[in-house]
Amino acid sequence: MQSQDVAPRPAPGSAADRTVDVERAEAALVEHYPRLVRLAYLVLPAGLGRGRRVLSAHALVQRALPRRRASAVVVPSQSGARDGDPGYAYVRLHVVRTALEAGLPLRRRARPRRAQLPPLLPQVWGLRLFPRSGGADELALEKRLSTVSGPARAAYVLRGLERLPDGDVREVLTEAGVDDAGAALREADTVPARYALLESAEFDPCALQARPTDLMRRRQHTKAALAAAAALAVCGALVALPGDGWGPDGAAAPAYAQNPAAEAALDPARLVKVPPAAWKTSARTDFSVWPARGDLTGDDALLRRALAVWARPGERVRVSSTPGTPSGGPAGPPQLLYAGDTATARVVLLYDGLRIARYAEPRDGTTGAALDFARVDGATGAEAAAVVLDRADGNVRYLTAPWVSAAAERDLSKPGAGLMELTLAGGITSPLSSPATHAGACTTWNVLQVTDASGSYLLSDLGELVPARLTAGRPTAPKEATGAEALRTWAPFACSLGEMRAQGVRSVNAWAYARQPLPDAGGQARWACTRADTWRGAGSRVLAQFHTSGGLFGAVTAQADDVAACGPRDPHVLAGVLWKSEPGTWYLLAAGDKDTGSVRATGGVSGSGEGNLLAVPTRQGAQAELEGTLEDGRSIRGLR
């Protein structure tokens, strides 16, 4: 449970809890290593460069343990300890302190601190490592964070990534050596609260891309040896590439291996092209029966460039992929879905049974290209009904499945607004507004509705190649979100889809699991949970949301990642919120699904009640833990 403004936290531990074994701190570092490295990377100044930030972030986390393996270390404070773990609190504090030290300027007469120097370990020779490129939103946030001070950047990251309330953030910053933690928090308030973006691949220093370093300098300084001779041969091939214009392989890096299977995968003549009517007699409704469409399916030069760039993307190729999607070359000849011109680029869509790959090169003949990947294994029916063809001027166009007979645009936030029909020319929709490219406050959320012989489906653009399927209803039996009741369920919570962008989402289900009369004749509230499941299986996200009658949009009251709640394996949910009535009284409101027999609150608020609803008077800012008992006797805990 949490209020809409303050995240919950456990009560501070006793003085004895502030001493932690070194082994426990080491265990916390190993368990939460990816998150700690992401924390260090975000706090480090952007001026270091992405490559050095990656290595420095790993070095700072790896040096977070005490040098001497004493029996115990003292944790200054356990504020915001992850799951009450003082070992994690100690390691995180050390990471924040050293990351702030790394951002301090070097002074001529002062002895530099270790964090200010390039890391001794880890080191990578001959390669530049950097995280995968994000979208426009991530780039804007990165630029904005680079303009604030290190303490303000740390405050923002502790708020968004660690989900600490301001009181805990102030304590961590003070213990990390920040003189004025309050000023850092105020400066952090000047950065837009786009906390969900901190989880994106743009800021993940554990999922990296590799490119060669300065090849000419390596060539000048490499000693004569067998390994150096092999590296020098690759460097010479790279230097020999033409600098401008499209070569035979376009923006691809030079070939470094001759393998019959790999060469077959790069041969345009061997691309799989499905006949136009194959889907009509096939038992399958997936990408494998999509025909090849577009006016450039016979352009062997374009197709060769697309295949070569897929196998060997060069430095001028912008590569992106959804989480959990490998970006290596195809194992064999892929299937051609589309090759044609759009407003600004030539686009090729390919499918290899696991992934959709989109290659785009500028139509004006300039160098550079874009290569995007999306995982689609197991897609069928509605999940294989559309692929993003291009985005421009805030709009998106889709290439639809051959069995799609009609397409329309719908505003998910306005269930009574009706449909706006879209044209289908060669399976390509006319442009529709894309919520994935909108910035600022969310007021509408437009989705694509497609129709085939079996019915209609809603698909939402979440900034990836394949739109996410929207459903509604109890998780054990969700239905398509096109019915009147499903549309009313989704309307107040449509904008919450923005929390799920760029996460590799396969489908999102909304379930209105409870209605609750509000105290002091405040009307009625609806509780809903939305669950986003991904193509890779892991990484699911559950949001508990609260909407009062008269409010335009619902509010997210709790969020959890990688949990079974609100899903087919555990179709139960319990969440709470602090709510202020019209007379000015604060209440803790909580609701579980209909199978909940009782709800109780402990901690800062005490109360219990029979049934699936609870309303207890309290004070502003109170913190509570929620626990419920199902009718079959099992216990459930509130989402946080």
Side-chain angles (χ1 to χ4, degrees):
M1 186 287 303
Q2 68 180 65
S3 72
Q4 297 181 40
D5 299 313
V6 180
R9 65 182 176 91
S14 64
D17 290 336
R18 296 168 60 147
T19 302
V20 58
D21 293 338
V22 174
E23 288 76 11
R24 187 172 181 178
E26 183 179 9
L29 185 150
V30 173
E31 180 182 0
H32 301 291
Y33 184 85
R35 193 170 195 88
L36 290 165
V37 176
R38 186 187 290 263
L39 172 67
Y41 180 85
L42 286 163
V43 176
L44 287 168
L48 293 177
R50 299 177 74 195
R52 180 172 168 185
R53 281 173 72 193
V54 166
L55 297 180
S56 296
H58 283 273
L60 295 181
V61 175
Q62 292 173 16
R63 297 202 304 262
L65 295 177
R67 295 183 181 179
R68 299 179 179 178
R69 297 190 62 84
S71 61
V73 293
V74 177
V75 182
S77 169
Q78 292 187 39
S79 297
R82 191 169 188 83
D83 298 326
D85 185 357
Y88 179 80
Y90 172 84
V91 176
R92 181 181 61 195
L93 174 61
H94 188 91
V95 169
V96 172
R97 179 187 294 123
T98 53
L100 290 173
E101 290 175 354
L104 297 175
L106 290 170
R107 303 189 182 279
R108 181 174 300 178
R109 297 186 178 181
R111 181 180 179 181
R113 303 182 184 184
R114 185 178 182 184
Q116 294 176 278
L117 301 175
L120 296 177
L121 291 174
Q123 288 288 346
V124 178
W125 295 90
L127 290 175
R128 291 186 296 109
L129 301 179
F130 49 89
R132 300 185 181 278
S133 299
D137 291 342
E138 288 86 350
L139 293 176
L141 179 60
E142 170 85 347
K143 183 176 180 180
R144 187 66 186 86
L145 287 174
S146 68
T147 63
V148 299
S149 65
R153 198 160 49 246
Y156 185 94
V157 175
L158 289 171
R159 278 176 173 171
L161 189 65
E162 292 293 286
R163 301 186 182 94
L164 297 184
D166 285 358
D168 289 352
V169 173
R170 186 178 287 105
E171 291 181 20
V172 173
L173 291 179
T174 301
E175 292 165 0
V178 176
D179 294 331
D180 192 348
L185 284 165
R186 289 191 296 274
E187 187 178 1
D189 288 336
T190 64
V191 181
R194 306 294 300 278
Y195 297 140
L197 297 177
L198 299 179
E199 302 280 357
S200 72
E202 171 77 12
F203 308 115
D204 185 3
C206 291
L208 302 172
Q209 296 186 95
R211 293 293 184 270
T213 56
D214 188 328
L215 301 177
M216 291 300 296
R217 182 172 298 177
R218 280 170 49 185
R219 187 175 183 182
Q220 294 170 356
H221 293 84
T222 302
K223 301 296 183 180
L226 181 61
L232 192 59
V234 175
C235 294
L238 287 172
V239 174
L241 278 178
D244 297 307
W246 292 108
D249 291 345
Y256 49 84
Q258 298 295 325
N259 178 278
E263 291 299 315
L266 301 181
D267 186 355
R270 300 195 182 187
L271 279 173
V272 178
K273 298 180 181 179
V274 175
W279 65 273
K280 296 180 180 180
T281 56
S282 173
R284 305 172 65 172
T285 53
D286 57 17
F287 291 109
S288 69
V289 294
W290 276 36
R293 286 170 287 182
D295 56 357
L296 298 178
T297 56
D299 189 338
D300 287 349
L302 171 65
L303 299 178
R304 177 177 175 80
R305 291 196 295 271
L307 292 168
V309 169
W310 184 355
R312 308 185 307 277
E315 291 187 352
R316 294 171 295 176
V317 179
R318 180 188 61 80
V319 181
S320 68
S321 61
T322 57
T325 306
S327 58
Q335 178 183 343
L336 177 63
L337 304 182
Y338 177 86
D341 284 318
T342 64
T344 59
R346 294 183 182 90
V347 173
V348 178
L349 293 175
L350 300 164
Y351 171 64
D352 69 349
L354 172 68
R355 302 164 291 174
I356 296 288
R358 179 184 182 272
Y359 168 82
E361 66 181 36
R363 290 184 60 184
D364 58 9
T366 57
T367 58
L371 185 62
D372 305 307
F373 295 96
R375 186 169 172 175
V376 292
D377 47 318
T380 184
E383 294 170 349
V387 174
V388 170
L389 187 61
D390 66 346
R391 293 187 179 91
D393 301 324
N395 295 321
V396 60
R397 290 195 305 157
Y398 293 95
L399 178 68
T400 60
W403 54 84
V404 170
S405 58
E409 181 177 3
R410 177 187 289 279
D411 186 351
L412 193 61
S413 65
K414 299 177 178 62
L419 293 170
M420 184 176 70
E421 291 187 4
L422 300 172
T423 61
L424 279 177
I428 300 173
T429 67
S430 52
L432 65 150
S433 179
S434 170
T437 60
H438 292 175
C442 174
T443 57
T444 61
W445 195 275
N446 295 320
V447 295
L448 173 70
Q449 178 168 316
V450 296
T451 301
D452 61 22
S454 63
S456 297
Y457 315 92
L458 287 189
L459 305 172
S460 179
D461 183 11
L462 296 182
E464 301 170 352
L465 280 181
V466 181
R469 180 185 185 182
L470 303 184
T471 57
R474 190 171 180 84
T476 52
K479 299 179 180 180
E480 300 303 329
T482 52
E485 182 180 351
L487 292 172
R488 287 192 295 270
T489 296
W490 263 110
F493 311 112
C495 286
S496 67
L497 287 168
E499 299 289 328
M500 304 164 186
R501 283 184 280 201
Q503 299 298 315
V505 173
R506 181 174 191 159
S507 62
V508 187
N509 183 63
W511 177 31
Y513 67 88
R515 291 181 179 270
Q516 183 173 27
L518 295 174
D520 299 339
Q524 193 175 65
R526 283 201 297 165
W527 289 88
C529 69
T530 53
R531 180 184 178 91
D533 289 312
T534 67
W535 291 98
R536 64 191 184 278
S540 61
R541 175 166 295 180
V542 176
L543 304 179
Q545 302 189 69
F546 176 80
H547 177 243
T548 58
S549 55
L552 183 59
F553 294 111
V556 176
T557 65
Q559 173 179 311
D561 295 336
D562 288 314
V563 296
C566 194
R569 297 184 62 183
D570 182 15
H572 302 291
V573 63
L574 172 64
V577 68
L578 293 183
W579 177 80
K580 184 179 181 182
S581 69
E582 188 66 27
T585 304
W586 283 90
Y587 290 89
L588 165 65
L589 305 178
D593 64 277
K594 66 178 182 179
D595 294 333
T596 305
S598 64
V599 180
R600 55 193 171 274
T602 58
V605 183
S606 297
S608 62
E610 295 298 319
N612 66 327
L613 303 176
L614 179 67
V616 181
T618 185
R619 67 184 188 283
Q620 182 179 6
Q623 303 291 322
E625 298 288 340
L626 291 175
E627 186 173 352
T629 301
L630 299 176
E631 292 181 348
D632 61 6
R634 290 180 296 158
S635 295
I636 59 172
R637 300 188 64 84
L639 291 178
R640 302 181 57 184

